[in-house]
């Protein structure tokens, strides 16, 4: 049965993705490598690939595998079918990548620099960028908190 036809299967992946994102939001990571473990699991869950893929970090490759799994075709055939019918010049895999990056930003309350976004082609690069942005966000919140306590005195 197709993953699309199996609503319970999709809900399981969605729940896993939500769980990983909640963990990312609440955890204190000592480095980007540690964050990468949970972010990678989040990405695989979003792409309905958790349990099927390990050690593939290229975002395009993961997105193409996700599209192929969704439509139950080989990656090569899925890519051929998808790129042959795209009137906008983009593939479903490209759209999945953009939507994933948007979801990460929205969920974590961060924003990737437009000049850096095109370079985020690998899950490890995304983890490094997210780690830096979360650290900067936490530092800013700490400064605001200190400033607020100074003005209340």
């Amino acid at each position: 049965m197709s993953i699309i036809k199996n609503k319970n299967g999709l809900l399981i992946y969605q729940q896993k993705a939500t769980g990983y994102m909640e963990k990312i939001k609440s955890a204190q990571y000592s480095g980007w490598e540690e964050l990468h473990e949970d972010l990678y699991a989040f990405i695989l869950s979003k792409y309905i690939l958790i349990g099927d893929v390990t050690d593939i970090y290229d975002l395009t490759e993961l997105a193409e595998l996700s599209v192929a799994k969704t439509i139950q075709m080989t990656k090569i055939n899925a890519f051929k079918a998808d790129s042959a019918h795209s009137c906008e010049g983009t593939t479903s895999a490209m759209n999945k990548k953009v939507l994933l990056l948007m979801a990460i930003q929205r969920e974590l309350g961060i924003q990737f620099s437009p000049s850096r976004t095109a370079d985020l082609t690998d899950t490890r690069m995304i983890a490094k960028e997210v780690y830096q942005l979360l650290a900067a966000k936490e530092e800013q919140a700490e400064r605001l908190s200190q400033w607020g306590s100074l003005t209340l005195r």
Side-chain angles (χ1 to χ4, degrees):
M1 177 179 278
S2 166
I3 191 73
I4 288 179
K5 293 179 185 171
N6 185 350
K7 184 178 177 186
N8 289 334
L10 284 175
L11 289 175
I12 289 169
Y13 283 105
Q14 184 180 23
Q15 290 168 347
K16 286 181 186 234
T18 299
Y20 285 115
M21 183 51 71
E22 291 306 316
K23 183 178 179 188
I24 292 167
K25 287 178 182 179
S26 64
Q28 294 290 324
Y29 295 102
S30 60
W32 72 265
E33 297 92 345
E34 189 180 357
L35 168 65
H36 182 258
E37 291 178 32
D38 291 331
L39 189 62
Y40 187 62
F42 169 77
I43 292 168
L44 293 182
S45 297
K46 288 296 264 186
Y47 280 2
I48 62 170
L49 294 173
I50 200 157
D52 296 333
V53 172
T54 57
D55 300 327
I56 297 175
Y57 306 108
D58 181 84
L59 204 54
T60 299
E61 178 83 9
L62 291 170
E64 289 173 355
L65 287 169
S66 176
V67 169
K69 181 176 180 178
T70 303
I71 60 175
Q72 294 186 310
M73 295 178 97
T74 65
K75 188 182 96 163
I76 292 170
N77 288 338
F79 181 75
K80 286 178 186 176
D82 190 34
S83 46
H85 295 56
S86 175
C87 60
E88 302 88 21
T90 63
T91 63
S92 295
M94 287 178 187
N95 291 336
K96 283 181 92 66
K97 286 171 35 179
V98 169
L99 291 171
L100 175 74
L101 293 174
M102 289 171 63
I104 291 170
Q105 292 175 97
R106 183 186 67 247
E107 289 288 332
L108 297 175
I110 59 175
Q111 188 169 5
F112 299 131
S113 159
S115 62
R116 292 272 305 132
T117 303
D119 297 330
L120 300 176
T121 58
D122 179 287
T123 61
R124 294 164 294 201
M125 292 175 184
I126 296 169
K128 288 176 189 176
E129 188 74 11
V130 167
Y131 182 77
Q132 291 172 353
L133 290 170
L134 288 176
K137 182 180 171 182
E138 186 176 315
E139 186 178 307
Q140 182 181 21
E142 203 171 289
R143 278 186 285 178
L144 287 172
S145 174
Q146 289 173 353
W147 184 80
S149 67
L150 289 175
T151 58
L152 292 176
R153 291 182 189 183

